Amino acid sequence: MTAYPLLVVTAVAAEAEAVRAGADPDHVVVEPVGVGPAAAAAGTARLLATGRFRAVISAGIAGGFAGRAPVGATVLGARSIAADLGAESPGGFLPIEELGFGTSVVHADPLLFKGLTAALPDAVAGDVLTLATVTGTAATADALAARFPRAVAEAMEGFGVAVAAAGLPFAELRTISNPIGPRDRAAWRLKDAFAALSTASAALWTACG
């Protein structure tokens, strides 16, 4: 195996299988690390501690914001944002930056992001939100869309993976299985999202190399 391959982490095994179906196994290592930012951070840190990897990508399926990322689209995160990291207040949500406790935003590595956008020219680029609780109402979807006008998708792991990367080149890649808002599992297009994830994964090593 290549001494310094690309690490791609997913939340669950089904996502990892979809990535492996398209990725170059000689250069790309794919591992599921668990659901949610904490599990994703811990699992990614454990894998990166081996010192084998030169870059890491958080990949998987996601919900897309209506009018920004349609179902079936591939999304590239220019920034991964911990959208629920902060505090409630009578005036609304206060992000951690306003509390003086750090940052809720991690930018994708510029060169890796440039390579991904070149390799996936049809992908929708924008912010990807990380949430520990998946959005399930129209009111929450509308509030998030208003707070984050550049957000195109929400998932549960990207920010955790980005923090664990600790300076290694990082990016987030998602394919859209459902619109963000009221949960209607019957309307989700998981098969299409997994197929899109496999197709996008074929470009990963080219973008990183």
Side-chain angles (χ1 to χ4, degrees):
M1 183 174 287
T2 302
Y4 298 102
L6 169 66
L7 174 64
V8 178
V9 294
T10 68
V12 297
E15 292 169 320
E17 290 170 5
V19 174
R20 290 190 189 111
D24 180 351
D26 291 331
H27 298 103
V28 181
V29 175
V30 186
E31 294 290 346
V33 291
V35 175
T44 302
R46 174 180 54 81
L47 292 165
L48 293 179
T50 64
R52 297 168 53 207
F53 303 104
R54 76 185 208 185
V56 59
I57 291 175
S58 176
I61 63 173
F65 281 97
R68 301 179 187 177
V71 173
T74 296
V75 164
L76 297 173
R79 302 188 299 174
S80 296
I81 301 175
D84 54 5
L85 186 60
E88 290 184 326
S89 79
F93 183 82
L94 299 175
I96 196 169
E97 288 86 349
E98 293 188 27
L99 302 175
F101 295 146
T103 182
S104 60
V105 179
V106 177
H107 291 259
D109 176 79
L111 290 179
L112 181 54
F113 184 74
K114 181 179 180 180
L116 286 169
T117 55
L120 297 166
D122 294 328
V124 178
D127 295 337
V128 178
L129 307 185
T130 299
L131 293 156
T133 301
V134 174
T135 298
T137 67
T140 300
D142 290 345
L144 287 171
R147 280 177 53 208
F148 301 101
R150 291 192 288 170
V152 293
E154 73 165 28
M156 302 180 76
E157 294 80 30
F159 183 81
V161 176
V163 171
L168 277 182
F170 160 82
E172 185 167 4
L173 182 152
R174 299 281 172 180
T175 55
I176 304 303
S177 61
N178 58 280
I180 296 169
R183 292 174 62 78
D184 179 10
R185 290 297 296 268
W188 287 19
R189 287 167 45 190
L190 293 175
K191 183 177 179 180
D192 292 343
F194 284 131
L197 190 57
S198 296
T199 299
S201 297
L204 291 179
W205 181 247
T206 299
C208 184

